[in-house]
Amino acid sequence: MKAVGLTQYLPIDDPAALLDLNLAQPGPPTGSDLLVRVQAVSVNPVDTKQRAPRAQQEDPPRILGYDAAGIVEAVGPDVTAFAPGDEVYYAGDVTRPGCNAQWQWVDERLVGRKPATLDFADAAALPLTVLTAWELLFQRMPLQFDDRRHAGQVMLIIGGAGGVGSIAIQLARHAGFTVVATASRPASADWCRQMGAAHVIDHRQPLPPQLQALGIEQVQVALNLADTDHYWEVLGELLAPQGHVGLVVEPRGALRIGDPYKAKCIGIHWEFMFARAKFRTDDRIEQHRILSRVASLVDAGELRSTRSAQLGAINAANLRQAHRQLESGSVIGKLVLAGWE
Ligand SMILES: NC(=O)c1ccc[n+]([C@@H]2O[C@H](COP(=O)([O-])OP(=O)(O)OC[C@H]3O[C@@H](n4cnc5c(N)ncnc54)[C@H](OP(=O)(O)O)[C@@H]3O)[C@@H](O)[C@H]2O)c1
């Protein structure tokens, strides 16, 4: 089968950073695995972080990729939710070979049925980021997707135009929040508004005066989707007493979790989208439930795909281009690749 992988961890401008490969097709799935024929993939910063240059060799080659849409080809003996021919989408498990391959094994508990109204490319844009945002907002934080109890509350989303921000804006707005997103360029600011942000402020400028200019003195919830250390102090100032901060990016240094966080009783919530798969938690079927719920919401017109660009077929040259763009830190929405030419 065709696949894209690495044998060395190299800077992305090195043509050998990602290689076109011809590998043996995975055999029949076992246990609760599906064998999926991958149709489209998206890229995420986790790919570039996993690929970061270091002195290490991989033999056999390592396959990255943790956002896919495809068709179930075969099911393991313990599978209950899927059958061959089903169209699915999933992020999968960072500890197993990824989706940048024509066929992949993935545990059915991490897989949802693909939204029927989206093609494979639009569907592949969603899983990793929607799992991140949904788990953070509605499973780590005590927020509710379905009722309007948050109406009138403000959620500040730092890094609103990125992959996670694009879907977090939609979910927060659906939950009733007035969303203030941050973006530093006209194109990323426009995108945040398209995703449903009520206001957009610039994360390259001081945040409090921009919020004050909107008549906002404090926010009930803040998601820091960009730089945990950099925004820690200002978020401590901006968060309302008994507010919540959501974090997804490993800090570079130590964070001071005392005042004002302690004095205001601010809830500090970590999300790591691969935690359930990595630690084989008993509740990993939650990812199946979230993705299937999101598919229904997409099909009902309540949520939309965050795909912003399609970079062509799934091959090493196009994936190197996608990684290069991600490493620039300026991607808007999600970059997708589809088909195997
Ligand atoms: N823990 C988890 O489970 C999990 C899951 C997914 C992602 N993540 C992490 O979350 C981070 C964001 O992921 P992503 O997929 O959303 O990334 P992304 O799509 O690459 O994000 C790009 C966006 O980030 C914004 N940005 C860049 N520098 C910024 C800064 N200093 N402050 C605020 N915004 C900034 C840019 O906006 P402008 O161009 O407008 O500046 C750009 O639109 C990554 O570090 C990723 O590894 C963690």
Side-chain angles (χ1 to χ4, degrees), residues 43-46 49 128-129 132 135 158-166 182-185 187-189 202-204 224-227 230-231 247-250 270-274 325-334:
V43 288
N44 292 281
V46 64
K49 290 177 186 178
L128 187 147
T129 49
T132 305
E135 290 183 344
I158 308 251
V164 182
S166 301
T182 78
S184 69
R185 297 169 295 145
S188 49
D202 183 353
H203 46 245
R204 310 266 178 231
N224 184 346
L225 306 177
D227 183 333
H230 182 72
Y231 297 103
L247 305 173
V248 298
V249 181
E250 179 73 21
W270 273 108
E271 163 62 10
F272 179 50
M273 190 247 114
F274 291 116
Q325 288 189 34
L326 274 177
E327 287 181 358
S328 77
S330 59
V331 167
I332 291 175
K334 297 288 301 171

Side-chain angles (χ1 to χ4, degrees), residues 43-334:
V43 288
N44 292 281
V46 64
D47 298 85
T48 61
K49 290 177 186 178
Q50 295 287 315
R51 208 211 73 252
R54 58 184 179 274
Q56 189 181 328
Q57 307 272 329
E58 297 290 350
D59 183 15
R62 180 164 176 205
I63 310 297
L64 304 175
Y66 311 99
D67 244 346
I71 303 167
V72 175
E73 181 124 328
V75 301
D78 302 333
V79 166
T80 58
F82 297 99
D86 286 348
E87 297 186 347
V88 294
Y89 73 145
Y90 55 92
D93 181 348
V94 74
T95 67
R96 300 181 72 184
C99 62
N100 296 333
Q102 279 182 295
W103 282 272
Q104 180 190 14
W105 286 323
V106 59
D107 189 309
E108 69 162 345
R109 288 166 285 192
L110 308 178
V111 174
R113 72 164 180 85
K114 169 183 148 300
T117 52
L118 297 186
D119 64 15
F120 288 104
D122 278 337
L126 283 173
L128 187 147
T129 49
V130 83
L131 286 168
T132 305
W134 190 288
E135 290 183 344
L136 178 58
L137 292 173
F138 308 123
Q139 298 193 335
R140 314 300 175 214
M141 291 187 180
L143 308 181
Q144 301 297 320
F145 179 72
D146 272 333
D147 61 36
R148 300 292 296 173
R149 79 177 66 168
H150 309 298
Q153 298 189 356
V154 177
M155 187 183 302
L156 174 64
I157 301 184
I158 308 251
V164 182
S166 301
I167 193 70
I169 291 172
Q170 297 184 53
L171 296 178
R173 186 182 162 176
H174 195 285
F177 284 91
T178 299
V179 177
V180 181
T182 78
S184 69
R185 297 169 295 145
S188 49
D190 280 353
W191 177 264
C192 290
R193 288 189 198 93
Q194 284 174 46
M195 294 298 116
H199 307 285
V200 184
I201 60 176
D202 183 353
H203 46 245
R204 310 266 178 231
Q205 304 297 327
L207 302 179
Q210 297 181 78
L211 287 168
Q212 280 155 14
L214 297 169
I216 297 169
E217 295 295 332
Q218 54 185 20
V219 303
Q220 281 70 37
V221 179
L223 305 187
N224 184 346
L225 306 177
D227 183 333
T228 300
D229 310 70
H230 182 72
Y231 297 103
W232 185 249
E233 202 176 314
V234 73
L235 292 183
E237 274 172 46
L238 287 172
L239 277 157
Q242 305 186 94
H244 298 276
V245 64
L247 305 173
V248 298
V249 181
E250 179 73 21
R252 292 180 297 278
L255 297 179
R256 239 186 64 82
I257 62 169
D259 289 345
Y261 282 88
K262 185 210 102 202
K264 292 192 199 171
C265 267
I266 290 167
I268 300 170
H269 307 266
W270 273 108
E271 163 62 10
F272 179 50
M273 190 247 114
F274 291 116
R276 284 178 159 137
K278 179 173 176 167
F279 297 105
R280 309 280 184 270
T281 63
D282 289 342
D283 68 349
R284 57 199 189 279
I285 197 165
E286 279 297 319
Q287 295 207 331
H288 165 69
R289 295 189 183 126
I290 295 168
L291 289 172
S292 295
R293 176 98 191 268
V294 165
S296 301
L297 289 162
V298 169
D299 290 341
E302 307 271 358
L303 299 175
R304 52 173 279 195
S305 172
T306 50
R307 178 175 70 84
S308 55
Q310 188 163 330
L311 301 184
I314 307 165
N315 60 41
N318 289 341
L319 274 167
R320 282 198 300 272
Q321 172 62 13
H323 278 224
R324 202 174 290 115
Q325 288 189 34
L326 274 177
E327 287 181 358
S328 77
S330 59
V331 167
I332 291 175
K334 297 288 301 171

